[in-house]
Amino acid sequence: MSAVAYDPAHHPAHHPAYDPAHDEGARRTGTLLHDSGAVLGRHLRRIRRAPGVVLLTQGMPINMLLFFGYVFGSALATPGREYRAFLVPGLMAATAAGGLMTGMFQASQDAQRGVMDRFRTLPMSRAAVPLGQTAADLLATAAGIVPLALVGLAVGWRIEGGAPGALGALGVLLLFRFATAWVGTYVGLVLRDEEVAGQLGAVTFVLPLLSSAYIPTGGLPDRLRTLAEWNPISAVAGAVRDLFGNAAPAADAAWPTAHPVAGSLLWSLALLVVFVPLTVRRYANSGE
């Protein structure tokens, strides 16, 4: 058998199309996806081992729908079935905002128990741990919206905007949940104390109350109405109602509420642009 002579000119590094920076970027992307997948699997197993927490977080919006819809519905300007149709998208928006609480608690718990320190000793991407945690939270939220939607359909809520609108509404909800999970993860890494995070998490329940998630903002006092209409949850709730075809946005409201789809997307993207690098940097440096 004749030997094949090695020609250095055929080495990839000498090929005109060879780009070492591109290869390095592809390798880092592959590493990030692989490591994030491992962290995502850990968090999904963690959720599966805590059925009580799952039942609590998934059951609370349903309980609020039944309680607010039937107890308070008759006292509001949009009574009965009309109010329940208004309330269901608002509860979905409030559920999406819950990423702040879950991200904060999980990150602070892992930081306090030394899990984050152990991850940092491994040869893995620094962005993989927060990305895997927020992605797992996103999947759990997507599954959790289903029972709320089914109960909403049972009490009179309907999807009037067709399949494209429904898919758009789901996309708005999940993008906002993903953004708030990054915010919560950053706060949890700063706190590093699950007890403090739990106490602070209870305060986050106030945020949907200061929005249009549960009631229209038109009847609020001027200052409170301004605060509520600039609340990101109001934009998300309005976008979901608009895309589902349940209610048109108020033309005389603040810009994010009057243009809820654009407003909700801008709020979500702004939160991601700010908190993704902050969270990754905080995770990478929190052991120092």
Side-chain angles (χ1 to χ4, degrees):
M1 181 180 296
S2 60
V4 178
Y6 171 72
D7 185 357
H10 290 88
H11 190 276
H14 297 285
H15 195 278
Y18 178 72
D19 185 357
H22 179 271
D23 280 4
E24 178 65 17
R27 185 189 66 79
R28 291 185 178 181
T29 301
T31 301
L32 173 62
L33 294 177
H34 178 271
D35 295 344
S36 299
V39 178
L40 183 148
R42 172 188 177 267
H43 280 281
L44 290 179
R45 291 191 295 272
R46 181 183 188 180
I47 293 172
R48 186 180 61 186
R49 294 182 186 128
V53 176
V54 174
L55 290 174
L56 178 63
T57 55
Q58 304 302 336
M60 184 174 298
I62 296 175
N63 290 335
M64 293 178 68
L65 169 60
L66 298 176
F67 185 76
F68 284 4
Y70 287 95
V71 175
F72 292 158
S74 60
L76 297 174
T78 54
R81 179 173 296 182
E82 292 182 5
Y83 174 66
R84 292 192 288 275
F86 176 89
L87 180 62
V88 171
L91 285 170
M92 290 181 177
T95 299
L100 177 61
M101 181 182 67
T102 57
M104 180 169 53
F105 183 76
Q106 291 177 356
S108 61
Q109 186 181 66
D110 283 348
Q112 184 177 14
R113 298 182 181 184
V115 176
M116 296 295 189
D117 295 332
R118 290 195 291 272
F119 275 135
R120 273 191 298 273
T121 64
L122 300 176
M124 60 191 304
S125 170
R126 289 296 183 243
V129 173
L131 178 59
Q133 176 179 316
T134 52
D137 179 80
L138 188 67
L139 292 177
T141 301
I145 289 177
V146 175
L148 175 59
L150 292 176
V151 175
L153 291 170
V155 300
W157 170 68
R158 293 293 181 266
I159 299 175
E160 307 289 348
L167 291 175
L170 181 61
V172 167
L173 288 169
L174 294 182
L175 179 62
F176 188 62
R177 177 74 182 209
F178 191 56
T180 57
W182 278 97
V183 178
T185 301
Y186 174 75
V187 176
L189 290 173
V190 171
L191 295 176
R192 298 179 64 86
D193 188 320
E194 58 183 298
E195 184 177 350
V196 174
Q199 295 172 351
L200 188 59
V203 179
T204 63
F205 283 109
V206 178
L207 297 178
L209 297 175
L210 297 175
S211 74
S212 65
Y214 305 141
I215 58 172
T217 59
L220 297 176
D222 290 343
R223 292 184 180 180
L224 189 57
R225 178 181 178 180
T226 300
L227 178 64
E229 290 179 348
W230 281 95
N231 186 334
I233 301 174
S234 292
V236 175
V240 174
R241 291 186 184 110
D242 188 23
L243 291 168
F244 277 139
N246 300 139
D252 60 340
W255 190 89
T257 304
H259 305 83
V261 176
S264 61
L265 293 178
L266 287 175
W267 271 118
S268 298
L269 293 176
L271 292 175
L272 288 171
V273 167
V274 172
F275 283 96
V276 168
L278 282 178
T279 304
V280 174
R281 190 178 303 118
R282 181 69 189 184
Y283 165 74
N285 299 330
S286 58
E288 299 178 356

